[in-house]
Amino acid sequence: MRFLIVRTDIRTAADIDLAAVWAGGGCLRNETTTPECRRQTVHAEDRDAALLLARALSTVGAVRAGRQRVKVLPLAEPGRRRRGQHPPG
């Protein structure tokens, strides 16, 4: 399985926004509607390589300082369905 390793900026949130989300039981960040700004992306062919690359990207100063984060995302292989996905038709 292939993986995508992404280094992104972390969006800051005001205290009033945090309080509103906690009170309403909502979600402050929704990656599907407003993804974080990408700074760097790398592809890996297997999980071990992806974790090694993620560990290397985690040594960047902005990540260590908490201004950026590193994410490892699995990519679906062509021709294979994801769990819960129904065939067309």
Side-chain angles (χ1 to χ4, degrees), residues 10-87:
I10 296 176
R11 287 188 301 263
T12 57
D15 290 340
I16 191 76
D17 295 334
L18 289 171
V21 168
W22 277 87
C27 181
L28 182 62
R29 293 181 175 98
N30 185 345
E31 288 290 315
T32 58
T33 58
T34 53
E36 294 175 333
C37 180
R38 292 181 179 178
R39 291 293 176 186
Q40 188 173 13
T41 59
V42 182
H43 293 273
E45 293 298 323
D46 60 36
R47 184 176 179 267
D48 291 335
L51 294 177
L52 183 66
L53 288 166
R55 197 170 316 133
L57 288 176
S58 296
T59 63
V60 172
V63 176
R64 294 179 57 149
R67 294 186 308 271
Q68 295 178 350
R69 76 177 93 224
V70 176
K71 303 172 187 177
V72 178
L73 309 168
L75 299 176
E77 294 179 15
R80 292 187 63 182
R81 293 183 306 181
R82 288 187 172 170
R83 209 174 331 157
Q85 186 180 16
H86 301 288

